[in-house]
Amino acid sequence: MRLHFVSLVLVGAFTVSLTTTAAASTIGLDPVSGGGFSSTGLNSTRGFEFTVSTSLTVSALGLFDVDADGLGEAHNVFLWTSTGTLLASASVDSGDTAVDSAYAPADSQWLFASIAPFVLTPGTYVLGATYAIGSPDAFLAGTHPSPISVTTASGISWVGLRQAFANDTFPNGTLPGFTGTFGPSLLVEDSTPVPEPASLTLLGLGLAGIGARRWRQRKAS
């Protein structure tokens, strides 16, 4: 009975650790190749439409930082439903969390500002980032001769370019000749728990103790 009790305690402690481990973050949509860097002479909100096939927890909104040299100014980033209902927003600047991008050939990164985590259910959504007239920050633009290839987190699919020629405005328009702009992205949380090293050590010591106790019991008999 005592041996059974020890086993239950160890399994319970290990289970608690699994459920309380912090989740890993994944970039929702990240450019891999193609396109070219561009700027705008107009106020604009640039981004893209995407679909979600499974519920995802969003923890941050971000902006693409060309050459990973920081931003010249802060940019507002917005997440809407496909019909323009605002779900979340954040102001992103050079002091926010930097995450490497997969984009090649240039060095680049994302800068992510944390938001209160919330769940995106299956459906269609739009991301947009504001660029003011004469913004010192470029964005990545894809064209038909040079479309942008993207990688996405599990459950997310790219749909296409969205933009509006006004600040902080739902980007429901497209632009002939352009296939996409980056622009904004989001961080999603991986809900799969990962054991912490300390928990694995605890489990190993507990199992070793149980094994030693059984060996002594057999020897005594």
Side-chain angles (χ1 to χ4, degrees), residues 188-209:
V188 297
E189 299 301 309
D190 180 0
S191 60
T192 303
V194 178
E196 295 175 350
S199 301
L200 294 177
T201 300
L202 174 63
L203 182 64
L205 290 173
L207 293 176

Side-chain angles (χ1 to χ4, degrees), residues 27-31 45-52 60-64 77-84 110 112 120 123-131 139-142 148-153 156-164 169-175 178-188:
I27 301 173
L29 295 99
D30 191 22
T45 305
R46 297 177 178 272
F48 52 84
E49 183 178 359
F50 65 100
T51 60
V52 171
L61 299 178
L63 196 82
F64 193 69
V77 178
F78 303 90
L79 176 60
W80 293 274
T81 66
S82 60
T83 57
W110 291 97
F112 283 102
L120 276 188
T124 303
Y125 300 92
V126 175
L127 270 168
T130 292
Y131 290 83
F139 54 86
L140 182 63
I148 298 174
S149 296
V150 300
T151 181
T152 62
I156 292 180
S157 297
W158 161 275
V159 175
L161 166 73
R162 289 292 181 269
Q163 67 177 26
T169 301
F170 178 62
N172 59 356
T174 60
L175 189 64
F178 282 79
T179 58
T181 56
F182 286 87
S185 193
L186 67 165
L187 278 184
V188 297

